[in-house]
Amino acid sequence: SPGVGRGRAGGEAARGRCAIIVGYIPRHVRPWATPEFPSMKVRDILALKGSALYTITPEDSLAHAAEVMAEKDIGSLVVISHGLVVGILTFREVIQAAVRNGGSFGTTSVYRAMNPGPLICTLETELDEVRRMMVGHHARYLPVIEKQVLQGVISFYDVAKTVVDRQDFENRMLKAYIKDWPQDEGQRTEPDPR
């Protein structure tokens, strides 16, 4: 899909800055995408992010939802009905509903404003796939659902922070390797002056 293409291109551009260096790094000091160091998954992001999760019901008022989002400083609420995820409400839907109502929430319910078909992911979805989904569908928030049970929400910020943290870790590994480069390797390539 077009979204997958854009996501892949962005990843290649980011990796291109250190492609020459990575080519000289032995496998045992490259902790990404190897059997020993598998790709990061959604469960890893949630473990770093924490367990805070905010939900609301379809019957709640949009005004109440906006108050909760402002009070908790969050950009989304997962809409739950009878224990199941039935939609998501983000600041995008809140603004659109307010505009349709002449700049106020009025008596609009969450049900009338929510997105009833959000993209979702599972605990096993890989980070790269989440990035492609978000970029390709302009989605800022993805509910994480495992066996019909809500596990959390992944935001675009969570993904971006994870990518930056991983790149920082890789950079530190590269610097540590270069700093500890075996001196005798270079000496073997020099001709014997005798």
Side-chain angles (χ1 to χ4, degrees):
S1 66
V4 172
R6 286 199 297 271
R8 187 178 299 117
E12 291 173 354
R15 289 192 297 272
R17 292 195 298 269
C18 62
I20 296 176
I21 297 176
V22 170
Y24 290 96
I25 302 301
R27 186 181 185 86
H28 69 278
V29 295
R30 284 186 284 133
W32 54 89
T34 68
E36 298 83 4
F37 299 94
S39 299
M40 184 165 283
K41 297 182 179 180
V42 167
R43 66 167 63 252
D44 303 313
I45 302 176
L46 287 180
L48 296 173
K49 177 181 179 178
S51 58
L53 181 61
Y54 301 98
T55 65
I56 202 163
T57 70
E59 295 78 23
D60 283 316
S61 69
L62 188 60
H64 173 64
E67 289 176 5
V68 173
M69 293 170 73
E71 178 185 343
K72 303 297 184 181
D73 192 24
I74 54 176
S76 71
L77 289 168
V78 180
V79 186
I80 301 287
S81 180
H82 303 292
L84 296 176
V85 175
V86 296
I88 191 168
L89 183 74
T90 72
F91 57 84
R92 176 190 294 168
E93 286 81 39
V94 172
I95 292 173
Q96 289 175 342
V99 170
R100 287 195 301 268
N101 202 40
S104 67
F105 298 129
T107 59
T108 305
S109 65
V110 169
Y111 176 78
R112 296 297 298 271
M114 71 180 190
N115 174 4
L119 287 175
I120 63 171
C121 59
T122 71
L123 293 173
E124 296 303 313
T125 305
E126 294 189 355
L127 175 63
D128 288 342
E129 178 62 21
V130 172
R131 292 167 63 187
R132 285 192 286 267
M133 292 168 66
M134 286 184 158
V135 172
H137 297 274
H138 303 282
R140 293 179 176 87
Y141 303 90
L142 294 185
V144 183
I145 300 177
E146 194 75 24
K147 297 179 180 178
Q148 296 188 325
V149 178
L150 179 65
Q151 303 292 328
V153 176
I154 295 295
S155 70
F156 195 86
Y157 170 82
D158 298 328
V159 174
K161 184 177 185 302
T162 300
V163 170
V164 170
D165 290 346
R166 185 173 66 174
Q167 289 175 343
D168 288 344
F169 174 75
E170 293 172 4
N171 288 339
R172 289 197 300 272
M173 292 291 290
L174 292 173
K175 290 177 181 177
Y177 177 77
I178 293 173
K179 180 179 179 181
D180 297 331
W181 191 285
Q183 295 296 322
D184 56 345
E185 286 188 8
Q187 293 171 359
R188 290 197 199 99
T189 60
E190 297 177 0
D192 191 338
R194 293 175 296 179

